[in-house]
Amino acid sequence: MTVGGDHGGEDHGGQDHGGNIDAAIARFGAGDWIDLSTGINRRAYPLPTLTQDAWRGLPTHSAQAGLVAAAAAAWGAAPGLAGLALGGAQAAIQMVPRLRPAATAGVLVPTYNEHAACLRACGWDVQGCHALDDLAGADLAVVVNPNNPDGRCWSAEALIGLAGRVGLLVVDESFADAQPALSLLPFACPANILILRSFGKFYGLAGLRLGFAFGAPPLIDALARMAGPWPVAGPAIEIGRAALADTAWADAMRVQLSADAVRADRLAQGAGWACVGGTALFRLYDTPDATSARDRLARHHIWSRIFPYSPRWLRLGLPGPEDEWQRLTAALA
């Protein structure tokens, strides 16, 4: 089974990803592209004014700790959980395979393909599993919750139960901001659970390269040693702290994205596509021919995501400004 899906970003290491706008331009020409091939919110958080220290000085330990504290508060992290800010959730994904000696790993599929790729690159024997129970017995198990690209979700109770049947459980919550009730962070989790979070997707600032890992102190200490003394840039720290503290913006954005998802589904239904999953940051549609559907949108300079393991699935992010919605409406008319 090919382990697929993506978080967005340029193609690298032979992996298939969304965000590969260069490929769109090479085939369909330059222009004013709307990149809906990722799950990155196009209604981005407004950038605050940064201090000169953010640019001129190395990030201090207190500034980094303040960022982690802001994330813990925003996401309701349980007392006793340690946290670490990193250069995107991807940075954590690349370090996870070195937390334990390489053995047998299970990845719930289909999902973001970097989990399996990074594990295999470090010598792990990776098996794609289709049900949560199939992960039992793995030395390391990975669950993306909510899942990318189909939006499947698992309860905290189910995941905590699974932790007792695997060596290390990695729960990737990169798309959980829009569905905070799914998060494991507020729970008293076993010490063998590592929770990954993305900042850039929900806040629409993927270029900031900011993400987090939360877990028992020994796990976070091990990641911190791998990450080095300055894993996050000063501007990312200041912007991240401001955005995470703005709970009113986050609450309003969840309402907006929920309405946007309904709007996108109605447009897709009018084009003859059926919604088969997704989250409030992206939708997954069953189409008669995914390649043709992608190319149809691309002729309007709207880039979407198809998958090598499905000839019918097309994933579509949500437009932001009204002019983007109008272009999508015209492309699907």
Side-chain angles (χ1 to χ4, degrees):
M1 167 81 187
T2 299
V3 182
D6 71 274
H7 281 194
E10 294 295 329
D11 288 357
H12 63 92
Q15 298 301 350
D16 181 57
H17 292 282
N20 56 336
I21 201 70
D22 286 344
I25 292 170
R27 180 170 176 188
F28 296 96
D32 183 17
W33 280 88
I34 303 173
D35 188 0
L36 302 184
S37 69
T38 74
I40 298 166
N41 185 4
R42 293 187 67 81
R43 301 181 184 272
Y45 185 80
L47 292 174
T49 301
L50 300 181
T51 67
Q52 286 298 307
D53 286 345
W55 298 102
R56 295 187 303 192
L58 287 171
T60 63
H61 291 298
S62 60
Q64 294 176 71
L67 174 61
V68 171
W75 297 327
L81 274 183
L84 177 67
L86 294 161
Q90 179 65 39
I93 291 168
Q94 291 179 227
M95 292 189 288
V96 159
R98 292 183 279 154
L99 286 172
R100 299 282 177 92
T104 300
V107 177
L108 205 57
V109 296
T111 197
Y112 179 44
N113 57 34
E114 286 291 338
H115 285 288
C118 291
L119 286 162
R120 289 193 177 106
C122 289
W124 287 79
D125 176 17
V126 182
Q127 302 297 319
C129 301
H130 295 274
L132 208 62
D133 285 343
D134 295 340
L135 295 168
D139 297 292
L140 187 154
V142 178
V143 178
V144 179
N145 190 42
N147 190 47
N148 172 20
D150 56 19
R152 286 182 297 164
C153 303
W154 293 269
S155 68
E157 180 182 22
L159 293 172
I160 291 171
L162 174 64
R165 298 186 288 163
V166 301
L168 173 64
L169 175 59
V170 178
V171 181
D172 183 344
E173 296 185 352
S174 286
F175 290 101
D177 283 87
Q179 297 168 262
L182 286 176
S183 180
L184 278 177
L185 285 173
F187 293 85
C189 292
N192 68 327
I193 291 182
L194 180 68
I195 302 164
L196 309 183
R197 294 290 294 238
S198 170
F199 172 85
K201 293 175 181 58
F202 179 73
Y203 290 92
L205 298 172
L208 210 60
R209 306 311 307 136
L210 179 59
F212 297 85
F214 287 91
L219 282 176
I220 299 304
D221 288 346
L223 287 175
R225 288 192 294 271
M226 294 183 217
W230 305 289
V232 177
I237 292 174
E238 287 199 6
I239 294 169
R241 289 184 71 169
L244 289 162
D246 195 345
T247 55
W249 183 92
D251 290 341
M253 184 53 61
R254 292 184 186 104
V255 174
Q256 178 69 63
L257 290 172
S258 179
D260 286 349
V262 172
R263 185 178 181 180
D265 288 350
R266 287 173 179 162
L267 288 176
Q269 184 179 16
W273 303 349
C275 182
V276 293
T279 72
L281 284 166
F282 61 83
R283 313 304 290 161
L284 183 67
Y285 299 114
D286 180 72
T287 73
D289 183 307
T291 299
S292 295
R294 181 200 62 186
D295 292 353
R296 172 183 179 180
L297 293 174
R299 285 190 286 273
H300 292 260
H301 282 188
I302 299 171
W303 197 230
S304 56
R305 174 77 162 96
I306 62 174
F307 302 91
Y309 52 84
S310 173
R312 298 175 62 96
W313 279 6
L314 179 138
R315 195 192 64 196
L316 197 66
L318 303 177
E322 185 59 29
D323 66 301
E324 294 187 356
W325 282 100
Q326 294 306 316
R327 283 177 58 183
L328 179 61
T329 300
L332 293 178

